[in-house]
Amino acid sequence: MTGIALEQKNLKTGLFAFAGALAMLGMGYAAVPLYDLFCRVTGFGGTTQQATEADADLAERMALSAGGKSISIRFDASIARDVPWTFTPERSTETVQIGQRDLAFYIARNDSKVPITGTATFNVEPEQAGIYFNKIQCFCFTEQTLQPGEEVRMPVLFYVDPAIMQDENTKDIEQITLSYTFHKSENSAEKPAS
């Protein structure tokens, strides 16, 4: 093999390796959004569903024909270690009628001397109920900035889809736990308030 042919072969191999590295980098960036999409569609890992008012209206009509079955909802709240907040549900449990909209509140207070921006992650237990737990409005959809000492009530408007009673894996569930954890946002500017 001549020197030029070997040089061309090395260049070709190097270009393939570079293209492969770029493809892997692209897959790395795409993995998180694709996994998030997968979880939202399937309810995997207790991921709840996001619903519209029209979806809730349909669920309420379905619930009327389903006999008014109720289910207990337990509310859980926690914070990451680097978030100096107090975060609790206003009520720890409540019984809701399946298919009916319900409004729950969480209370958050910034216990630090600087503004903190946080983002809430959430899940539902048992995991198989996640696909039937629908949030219409939630503080978890946006970042929350609390000023030093500020306390806020944050609403969650939700319903449990009546289809939960038709699924062999979920029809006997008596309680669903909605759990939130606040994490410090990457955009959190921890500078003293002026």
Side-chain angles (χ1 to χ4, degrees):
M1 188 176 268
T2 67
I4 293 175
L6 184 59
E7 206 171 286
Q8 286 178 338
K9 186 176 178 181
N10 287 344
L11 179 62
K12 189 176 180 181
T13 302
L15 287 174
F16 278 125
F18 181 71
L22 282 178
M24 283 193 260
L25 181 66
M27 291 297 287
Y29 278 104
V32 172
L34 289 174
Y35 180 74
D36 183 55
L37 176 65
F38 170 77
C39 290
R40 288 185 188 281
V41 169
T42 64
F44 182 75
T47 301
T48 63
Q49 304 303 300
Q50 189 171 351
T52 64
E53 287 289 343
D55 296 330
D57 290 340
L58 177 61
E60 283 184 356
R61 287 193 298 278
M62 289 173 58
L64 291 175
S65 64
K69 184 179 177 193
S70 295
I71 192 163
S72 173
I73 307 295
R74 186 173 87 76
F75 302 100
D76 181 52
S78 63
I79 53 171
R81 290 182 185 172
D82 63 342
V83 180
W85 289 6
T86 301
F87 178 55
T88 59
E90 194 169 73
R91 295 191 318 206
S92 59
T93 60
E94 64 181 78
T95 301
V96 301
Q97 189 174 12
I98 292 177
Q100 296 294 311
R101 281 172 261 221
D102 198 76
L103 186 62
F105 287 92
Y106 282 76
I107 299 168
R109 185 180 68 244
N110 181 352
D111 297 324
S112 76
K113 296 184 187 311
V114 295
I116 302 286
T117 301
T119 304
T121 58
F122 53 86
N123 73 339
V124 166
E125 288 292 330
E127 287 183 12
Q128 62 268 33
I131 197 165
Y132 300 110
F133 196 95
N134 294 273
K135 291 187 288 186
I136 302 164
Q137 178 185 349
C138 181
F139 58 88
C140 61
F141 298 153
T142 58
E143 291 182 339
Q144 305 294 320
T145 301
L146 298 183
Q147 297 302 316
E150 181 180 10
E151 182 174 294
V152 294
R153 287 177 78 220
M154 298 182 287
V156 180
L157 181 60
F158 68 94
Y159 69 92
V160 178
D161 190 326
I164 196 171
M165 297 182 301
Q166 312 306 311
D167 187 331
E168 287 296 319
N169 295 317
T170 58
K171 69 180 185 179
D172 295 324
I173 292 174
E174 295 179 2
Q175 185 175 66
I176 295 174
T177 300
L178 175 61
S179 190
Y180 288 98
T181 301
F182 257 104
H183 301 273
K184 194 176 291 182
S185 171
E186 291 177 10
N187 301 328
S188 189
E190 291 186 43
K191 296 176 184 158
S194 47

